[in-house]
């Protein structure tokens, strides 16, 4: 499951109760989270400038210190606390821990700096945490192959890579929107199912725009290996995770 940091802050306690109930039924959620707004707020307080290029944060070492502090510290531990309040067990870690996520510079690193593309995920470590009875909560900071350089990784990209390396069949993207919307006869409607080709068409004609573009692109990128579909849902919907897993037709399913 991928969840934005700002989305998580607004999620009701029942969302985490739902996660605990699923764990009791033997279905464990692996969470990869973001935290863009909290990072921006902290950078502002510290007077560190940082912009965006095509949805990726321009990252130097000073920005990276803040990214790691906010993601791996503040937000990661807040999620762990909220899960544990339900009585479930959670373990928070970042891509740095146990070389969980290895990365290389993105193709346009000359524009965005220390932003990484995932090259490897230590799936055995994640599986080990699950086998011990914990819900893994992962912050998307990665390491270069030699373990010396840190990289800021887009949370959507990191979640897609973790899902495909784990070999799961389904990834859930929890957002603050009910799914991919399309205007039909002057009314916005949630599309229950869209194919990759239809998404490309909707981006081209402007039906999908702004912050939704990186979400759907990351979803598309994660439909690889054993991942068959990605579901985009609104996290404030009651029992949203159970509904997705029981195939109740909630949100938008992106399929091959």
């Amino acid at each position: 499951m991928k969840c934005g940091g700002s989305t998580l802050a607004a999620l009701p306690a029942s969302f985490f109760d739902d996660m605990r109930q699923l764990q009791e039924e033997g279905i464990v959620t692996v969470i990869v989270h973001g935290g863009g707004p909290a990072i921006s707020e902290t950078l502002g307080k510290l007077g560190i400038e940082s912009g965006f290029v095509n949805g990726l944060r321009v990252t130097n070492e000073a920005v990276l210190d803040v990214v790691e502090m906010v993601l791996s510290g503040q937000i990661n531990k807040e999620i762990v606390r909220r899960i544990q309040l339900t009585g479930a067990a959670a373990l928070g870690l970042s891509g740095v821990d146990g070389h969980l996520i290895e990365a290389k510079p993105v193709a346009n690193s000359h524009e965005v700096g220390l932003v990484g593309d995932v090259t490897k995920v230590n799936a055995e470590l994640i599986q080990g945490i699950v086998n011990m009875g914990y819900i893994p909560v992962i912050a998307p900071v990665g390491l270069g192959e030699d373990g010396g350089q840190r990289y800021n990784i887009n949370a959507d990209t990191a979640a897609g890579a973790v899902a495909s390396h784990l070999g799961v069949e389904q990834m859930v993207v929890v957002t603050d929107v009910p799914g991919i919307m399309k205007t039909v006869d002057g009314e916005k409607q949630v599309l229950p199912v869209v194919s990759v080709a239809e998404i490309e068409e909707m981006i081209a004609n402007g039906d999908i725009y702004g912050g939704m573009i990186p979400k759907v692109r990351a979803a598309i990128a994660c439909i690889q290996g054993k991942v068959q579909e990605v579901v985009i849902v609104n996290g404030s919907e009651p029992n949203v995770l159970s509904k997705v897993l029981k195939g109740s037709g909630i949100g938008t399913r992106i399929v091959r």
Side-chain angles (χ1 to χ4, degrees):
M1 180 182 99
K2 185 268 169 174
C3 201
S6 52
T7 305
L8 275 161
L11 287 176
S14 59
F15 179 88
F16 298 96
D17 280 327
D18 192 22
M19 202 182 290
R20 175 186 53 79
Q21 283 167 349
L22 286 172
Q23 188 182 27
E24 286 170 2
E25 291 168 26
I27 300 166
V28 179
T29 316
V30 176
I31 302 170
V32 179
H33 65 85
I39 292 167
S40 296
E41 187 187 336
T42 307
L43 286 168
K45 284 177 183 170
L46 296 170
I48 299 170
E49 282 185 27
S50 172
F52 287 88
V53 176
N54 296 331
L56 295 176
R57 187 184 298 277
V58 178
T59 307
N60 58 21
E61 286 288 352
V63 172
L64 199 46
D65 282 343
V66 174
V67 166
E68 187 163 42
M69 176 174 72
V70 173
L71 288 182
S72 309
Q74 177 190 344
I75 291 176
N76 189 274
K77 300 313 163 202
E78 183 187 345
I79 299 166
V80 169
R81 271 200 312 275
R82 291 197 70 186
I83 294 170
Q84 290 181 163
L85 281 171
T86 70
L91 186 71
L93 61 171
S94 83
V96 170
D97 298 303
H99 285 267
L100 184 63
I101 298 174
E102 283 189 12
K104 63 177 184 184
V106 291
N108 63 330
S109 59
H110 60 285
E111 291 180 288
V112 294
L114 300 170
V115 177
D117 263 335
V118 180
T119 54
K120 193 172 162 189
V121 173
N122 186 345
E124 293 81 13
L125 178 57
I126 299 172
Q127 195 61 58
I129 291 165
V130 169
N131 293 347
M132 286 165 62
Y134 292 90
I135 294 171
V137 181
I138 302 166
V141 179
L143 282 178
E145 195 179 356
D146 65 357
Q149 181 60 58
R150 299 168 299 168
Y151 290 99
N152 179 12
I153 301 169
N154 175 284
D156 295 295
T157 308
V162 168
S164 54
H165 280 81
L166 276 175
V168 297
E169 289 178 11
Q170 188 180 55
M171 174 169 139
V172 182
V173 177
V174 180
T175 64
D176 52 3
V177 294
I180 297 175
M181 316 281 282
K182 189 171 185 177
T183 305
V184 183
D185 300 330
E187 268 187 45
K188 280 201 163 187
Q189 296 180 1
V190 176
L191 297 174
V193 185
V194 260
S195 70
V196 172
E198 285 168 333
I199 282 177
E200 292 298 350
E201 201 177 297
M202 288 175 74
I203 291 172
N205 68 22
D207 280 330
I208 295 175
Y209 57 90
M212 206 63 190
I213 294 176
K215 278 190 179 61
V216 295
R217 287 227 188 274
I220 291 170
C222 132
I223 299 178
Q224 55 178 295
K226 291 181 182 172
V227 182
Q228 297 296 315
E229 65 175 34
V230 176
V231 190
I232 296 181
V233 295
N234 185 339
S236 62
E237 172 87 25
N239 300 105
V240 67
L241 295 176
S242 296
K243 285 177 181 171
V244 168
L245 294 171
K246 286 162 188 169
S248 72
I250 193 170
T252 300
R253 286 170 53 228
I254 301 173
V255 297
R256 284 177 196 265

